[in-house]
Every structure is written in structure tokens, then in C-alpha cells.
Amino acid sequence: MQFQKILDLTKNVLTTVPVEEKKVLYKYASKVPENGVIVDIGTAAGNSAFIMALASKDSVQVWTIDPIENQNFLDKRTELGLLKKVHFIAGTSNDAVLDWGRPIDLLFIDGEHAPKFIMDDINNWGKFVRKGSTVLLHDYFWYGDYVQKAIDMAEVKLKLIDVPFGYFRDGKVGIAITKKL
């Protein structure tokens, strides 16, 4: 599906993700192979999960994790016809990973932003990411050097590739694009 069509379909979903970052989600989700798996940590209203689901191949499954079940997310998932493609896991990412066992082709980390939690997500979920696959980490600039510190200290090794950015409410935000080594 074309990027502009996805923007139109998701325009009423509450989000803090600027269009520049939505392009990053679109680009990397569209590269996930047939029957691939995308994991989105931090569902909120579902904008990121919906963009990645609509951008990816029909056979790709998206799993999104959040401790709060958002009714707007559930309604929009139904409205977009994504009930069989976007799966919601109610709980923290630390709890959800305990029952996880699938290889991951794209991981988007946008959950709790304290360095410990970012590092937990990299270590816990990163071990399921296929070697050479992409891990995206949101809010690279909003939280000072938290994201970079977590990348540097994590046991799962990631190589920083780029940090495209946009602006939200006068603040610079960005997605760190990394590859699992």
C-alpha cells in the first residue's frame, strides 16, 4: 500500500510520531519478508502498529505490546480490517517476552523510556531478532542520551545506522535505526 494511503487511513489515530518517522516505519516494515514478524513495544493508540501492518506484506504478522488496553486502538484495528494481522498483548514487555518464542524480523521499541527499560527491551526482545534484522528505537532525541546509553550497554549488540528525525510540539524526536550484529 502506498505511504499516502496509509497516512489517510491512520490520520484519526492519536500519535506523537511525526510524518518523517512514519516514513521510517513504512520503509522498514515494507522490507519484512513473507511470513515475517514485527514486534511493536508500546501500543498506545496503535498508530505505529497500524502503519507497519499496512506497509508490510499480507502474510506478515504484527504483535504490539502495552500494559494498557486502549479502546481506540481496538476499535481502529477492527475498522482497518487488521484483526487477523495485528495482535495485541496486554502486559509489560518484560512479562510478554516470557511467553515469546518466534524469530523477529523488525523490532520497534517505544515503551518505557528509562534507560533500564530500554536496555531490558533490547536484551530481552533482541535475542529473538534475526541477525542482520532491524531494531528501531523511538524518541532518540527527546530522552537525551538514554537510548544511546542503552544501545551501548546492552548485551545484544546493535550497530547504529542512522537517526532520521522530525519535530513534535517544538521538540526534536527521532528513531534510531540499528541492525542486530
Side-chain angles (χ1 to χ4, degrees):
M1 185 178 297
Q2 296 296 318
F3 180 68
Q4 188 56 52
K5 174 75 173 170
I6 293 172
L7 286 182
D8 292 344
L9 289 170
T10 59
K11 69 182 175 192
N12 294 325
V13 180
L14 183 63
T15 185
T16 61
V17 179
V19 70
E20 296 86 359
E21 293 180 346
K22 291 176 184 181
K23 288 178 184 175
V24 173
L25 297 174
Y26 176 87
K27 175 182 177 179
Y28 286 93
S30 68
K31 292 180 179 184
V32 171
E34 290 287 343
N35 301 307
V37 172
I38 297 172
V39 172
D40 171 28
I41 298 173
T43 308
N47 191 274
S48 299
F50 298 146
I51 288 171
M52 291 186 290
L54 294 167
S56 62
K57 295 167 183 65
D58 289 341
S59 64
V60 171
Q61 297 293 298
V62 177
W63 296 84
T64 186
I65 303 157
D66 203 288
I68 300 169
E69 191 170 34
N70 184 314
Q71 190 61 47
N72 292 327
F73 160 76
L74 299 173
D75 293 345
K76 193 65 174 179
R77 180 178 64 165
T78 300
E79 180 186 322
L80 291 170
L82 295 173
L83 285 171
K84 293 183 179 179
K85 185 171 177 87
V86 177
H87 312 278
F88 179 72
I89 300 173
T92 67
S93 57
N94 282 339
D95 290 338
V97 77
L98 298 174
D99 295 322
W100 191 263
R102 299 172 188 86
I104 298 171
D105 299 287
L106 175 61
L107 174 61
F108 179 46
I109 298 175
D110 188 18
E112 176 61 49
H113 290 84
K116 179 208 178 315
F117 295 107
I118 299 168
M119 194 166 50
D120 283 351
D121 286 340
I122 293 170
N123 288 330
N124 294 338
W125 290 91
K127 64 186 168 194
F128 294 103
V129 175
R130 295 179 196 273
K131 186 176 179 181
S133 289
T134 302
V135 177
L136 303 172
L137 298 103
H138 194 235
D139 295 325
Y140 187 84
F141 295 107
W142 262 14
Y143 291 93
D145 58 357
Y146 285 5
V147 174
Q148 187 59 54
K149 280 183 181 175
I151 292 169
D152 292 342
M153 295 176 8
E155 293 169 16
V156 172
K157 294 304 170 202
L158 303 174
K159 179 182 179 186
L160 185 63
I161 305 298
D162 193 11
V163 187
F165 64 90
Y167 291 89
F168 179 76
R169 292 191 194 139
D170 299 327
K172 184 177 181 181
V173 294
I175 293 180
I177 301 169
T178 67
K179 293 282 183 191
K180 182 178 178 184
L181 299 178

